[in-house]
Short mmCIF file of all heavy atoms in Angstrom, two decimals:
data_model
loop_
_atom_site.label_atom_id
_atom_site.label_comp_id
_atom_site.label_asym_id
_atom_site.label_seq_id
_atom_site.Cartn_x
_atom_site.Cartn_y
_atom_site.Cartn_z
N GLN C 1 29.23 11.96 -53.05
CA GLN C 1 29.02 10.68 -52.39
C GLN C 1 27.75 10.02 -52.89
O GLN C 1 26.83 10.68 -53.35
CB GLN C 1 28.92 10.86 -50.87
CG GLN C 1 30.23 11.26 -50.23
CD GLN C 1 30.11 11.33 -48.71
OE1 GLN C 1 29.01 11.28 -48.19
NE2 GLN C 1 31.23 11.46 -48.05
N VAL C 2 27.72 8.71 -52.78
CA VAL C 2 26.56 7.92 -53.17
C VAL C 2 26.02 7.22 -51.93
O VAL C 2 26.78 6.62 -51.19
CB VAL C 2 26.93 6.89 -54.25
CG1 VAL C 2 25.73 6.03 -54.60
CG2 VAL C 2 27.48 7.60 -55.49
N GLN C 3 24.73 7.35 -51.71
CA GLN C 3 24.10 6.69 -50.55
C GLN C 3 23.16 5.61 -51.01
O GLN C 3 22.40 5.78 -51.97
CB GLN C 3 23.32 7.70 -49.70
CG GLN C 3 24.18 8.65 -48.89
CD GLN C 3 24.52 9.90 -49.67
OE1 GLN C 3 23.68 10.45 -50.37
NE2 GLN C 3 25.74 10.36 -49.54
N LEU C 4 23.21 4.50 -50.29
CA LEU C 4 22.28 3.40 -50.50
C LEU C 4 21.53 3.19 -49.18
O LEU C 4 22.17 3.01 -48.14
CB LEU C 4 23.00 2.11 -50.89
CG LEU C 4 23.58 2.00 -52.30
CD1 LEU C 4 24.79 2.91 -52.50
CD2 LEU C 4 23.95 0.56 -52.62
N VAL C 5 20.23 3.24 -49.23
CA VAL C 5 19.42 3.12 -48.02
C VAL C 5 18.44 1.97 -48.18
O VAL C 5 17.55 2.02 -49.04
CB VAL C 5 18.68 4.42 -47.71
CG1 VAL C 5 17.84 4.26 -46.45
CG2 VAL C 5 19.66 5.58 -47.54
N GLU C 6 18.61 0.95 -47.33
CA GLU C 6 17.72 -0.20 -47.36
C GLU C 6 16.54 0.02 -46.42
O GLU C 6 16.64 0.73 -45.42
CB GLU C 6 18.45 -1.48 -46.92
CG GLU C 6 19.68 -1.83 -47.71
CD GLU C 6 20.96 -1.36 -47.06
OE1 GLU C 6 20.90 -0.39 -46.28
OE2 GLU C 6 22.02 -1.95 -47.33
N SER C 7 15.44 -0.63 -46.74
CA SER C 7 14.26 -0.64 -45.87
C SER C 7 13.47 -1.90 -46.14
O SER C 7 13.72 -2.62 -47.12
CB SER C 7 13.39 0.60 -46.12
OG SER C 7 12.91 0.61 -47.45
N GLY C 8 12.51 -2.18 -45.24
CA GLY C 8 11.62 -3.31 -45.45
C GLY C 8 11.90 -4.52 -44.58
O GLY C 8 11.15 -5.50 -44.62
N GLY C 9 12.97 -4.47 -43.81
CA GLY C 9 13.27 -5.59 -42.93
C GLY C 9 12.29 -5.66 -41.78
O GLY C 9 11.46 -4.76 -41.58
N GLY C 10 12.38 -6.74 -41.01
CA GLY C 10 11.50 -6.89 -39.86
C GLY C 10 11.48 -8.31 -39.36
O GLY C 10 12.32 -9.13 -39.72
N LEU C 11 10.50 -8.57 -38.49
CA LEU C 11 10.31 -9.89 -37.90
C LEU C 11 9.14 -10.57 -38.59
O LEU C 11 8.06 -9.98 -38.71
CB LEU C 11 10.04 -9.75 -36.40
CG LEU C 11 9.66 -11.03 -35.65
CD1 LEU C 11 10.80 -12.03 -35.68
CD2 LEU C 11 9.27 -10.69 -34.21
N VAL C 12 9.35 -11.80 -39.03
CA VAL C 12 8.30 -12.53 -39.73
C VAL C 12 8.39 -13.99 -39.33
O VAL C 12 9.47 -14.50 -38.99
CB VAL C 12 8.45 -12.36 -41.26
CG1 VAL C 12 9.75 -12.96 -41.76
CG2 VAL C 12 7.26 -12.92 -42.01
N GLN C 13 7.26 -14.67 -39.35
CA GLN C 13 7.25 -16.10 -39.06
C GLN C 13 7.74 -16.89 -40.26
O GLN C 13 7.63 -16.44 -41.41
CB GLN C 13 5.84 -16.55 -38.68
CG GLN C 13 5.38 -16.05 -37.31
CD GLN C 13 4.06 -16.67 -36.91
OE1 GLN C 13 3.26 -17.07 -37.74
NE2 GLN C 13 3.82 -16.75 -35.61
N ALA C 14 8.24 -18.08 -39.99
CA ALA C 14 8.67 -18.96 -41.07
C ALA C 14 7.51 -19.18 -42.04
O ALA C 14 6.37 -19.36 -41.64
CB ALA C 14 9.15 -20.29 -40.50
N GLY C 15 7.84 -19.13 -43.33
CA GLY C 15 6.83 -19.25 -44.37
C GLY C 15 6.28 -17.92 -44.84
O GLY C 15 5.58 -17.87 -45.86
N GLY C 16 6.60 -16.86 -44.13
CA GLY C 16 6.12 -15.53 -44.48
C GLY C 16 6.96 -14.87 -45.56
O GLY C 16 7.90 -15.46 -46.10
N SER C 17 6.60 -13.62 -45.84
CA SER C 17 7.26 -12.86 -46.90
C SER C 17 7.67 -11.47 -46.42
O SER C 17 7.03 -10.90 -45.53
CB SER C 17 6.32 -12.71 -48.11
OG SER C 17 5.99 -13.95 -48.67
N LEU C 18 8.70 -10.95 -47.04
CA LEU C 18 9.12 -9.58 -46.85
C LEU C 18 9.62 -9.06 -48.19
O LEU C 18 10.13 -9.83 -49.02
CB LEU C 18 10.25 -9.46 -45.82
CG LEU C 18 9.91 -9.61 -44.34
CD1 LEU C 18 11.19 -9.63 -43.51
CD2 LEU C 18 8.99 -8.49 -43.87
N ARG C 19 9.52 -7.74 -48.37
CA ARG C 19 10.07 -7.11 -49.57
C ARG C 19 11.04 -6.03 -49.13
O ARG C 19 10.64 -5.04 -48.51
CB ARG C 19 8.97 -6.49 -50.41
CG ARG C 19 9.44 -5.97 -51.77
CD ARG C 19 8.42 -5.05 -52.39
NE ARG C 19 8.64 -4.84 -53.80
CZ ARG C 19 8.14 -3.80 -54.48
NH1 ARG C 19 7.38 -2.91 -53.85
NH2 ARG C 19 8.37 -3.67 -55.78
N LEU C 20 12.29 -6.21 -49.46
CA LEU C 20 13.31 -5.23 -49.16
C LEU C 20 13.44 -4.24 -50.32
O LEU C 20 13.31 -4.63 -51.48
CB LEU C 20 14.66 -5.89 -48.90
CG LEU C 20 14.71 -6.97 -47.83
CD1 LEU C 20 16.13 -7.46 -47.64
CD2 LEU C 20 14.12 -6.49 -46.52
N SER C 21 13.71 -3.00 -49.98
CA SER C 21 13.96 -1.96 -50.98
C SER C 21 15.29 -1.29 -50.69
O SER C 21 15.72 -1.20 -49.54
CB SER C 21 12.86 -0.91 -50.96
OG SER C 21 11.59 -1.46 -51.22
N CYS C 22 15.93 -0.80 -51.72
CA CYS C 22 17.18 -0.06 -51.57
C CYS C 22 17.16 1.10 -52.56
O CYS C 22 17.13 0.88 -53.78
CB CYS C 22 18.37 -0.97 -51.84
SG CYS C 22 19.97 -0.13 -51.89
N VAL C 23 17.16 2.30 -52.01
CA VAL C 23 17.13 3.51 -52.84
C VAL C 23 18.54 4.08 -52.92
O VAL C 23 19.23 4.23 -51.90
CB VAL C 23 16.17 4.55 -52.26
CG1 VAL C 23 16.17 5.80 -53.13
CG2 VAL C 23 14.77 3.98 -52.14
N VAL C 24 18.96 4.43 -54.12
CA VAL C 24 20.30 4.96 -54.35
C VAL C 24 20.19 6.45 -54.66
O VAL C 24 19.36 6.87 -55.49
CB VAL C 24 20.99 4.23 -55.51
CG1 VAL C 24 22.41 4.77 -55.71
CG2 VAL C 24 21.02 2.74 -55.24
N SER C 25 21.02 7.25 -54.02
CA SER C 25 21.00 8.70 -54.24
C SER C 25 22.36 9.27 -53.87
O SER C 25 23.28 8.55 -53.50
CB SER C 25 19.91 9.36 -53.38
OG SER C 25 20.22 9.19 -52.00
N GLY C 26 22.49 10.61 -54.00
CA GLY C 26 23.73 11.23 -53.56
C GLY C 26 24.19 12.34 -54.47
O GLY C 26 23.76 12.45 -55.62
N ARG C 27 25.08 13.15 -53.94
CA ARG C 27 25.57 14.34 -54.65
C ARG C 27 26.33 13.96 -55.91
O ARG C 27 26.20 14.62 -56.94
CB ARG C 27 26.44 15.17 -53.72
CG ARG C 27 26.87 16.50 -54.29
CD ARG C 27 27.54 17.33 -53.21
NE ARG C 27 28.75 16.70 -52.70
CZ ARG C 27 29.93 16.86 -53.25
NH1 ARG C 27 30.06 17.58 -54.35
NH2 ARG C 27 30.98 16.27 -52.72
N THR C 28 27.09 12.88 -55.86
CA THR C 28 27.87 12.47 -57.03
C THR C 28 27.21 11.34 -57.78
O THR C 28 27.77 10.79 -58.72
CB THR C 28 29.29 12.03 -56.61
OG1 THR C 28 29.17 10.94 -55.70
CG2 THR C 28 30.02 13.17 -55.96
N PHE C 29 26.01 11.02 -57.37
CA PHE C 29 25.27 9.96 -58.04
C PHE C 29 24.88 10.42 -59.43
O PHE C 29 24.40 11.53 -59.62
CB PHE C 29 24.04 9.63 -57.21
CG PHE C 29 23.05 8.75 -57.89
CD1 PHE C 29 23.34 7.43 -58.13
CD2 PHE C 29 21.82 9.24 -58.28
CE1 PHE C 29 22.43 6.61 -58.75
CE2 PHE C 29 20.89 8.43 -58.90
CZ PHE C 29 21.19 7.11 -59.13
#
């Protein structure tokens, strides 16, 4: 199996910034 795990979300005010990440891993990766 292949897993994709996102992180970095949240609450931010308009005009702000966020950086999302997605790590890919797994036994059949």
Side-chain angles (χ1 to χ4, degrees):
Q1 291 184 348
V2 177
Q3 287 89 41
L4 287 71
V5 179
E6 303 96 336
S7 62
L11 173 64
V12 64
Q13 289 188 334
S17 298
L18 285 173
R19 187 196 196 200
L20 305 184
S21 301
C22 173
V23 180
V24 182
S25 64
R27 187 171 62 87
T28 60
F29 169 70

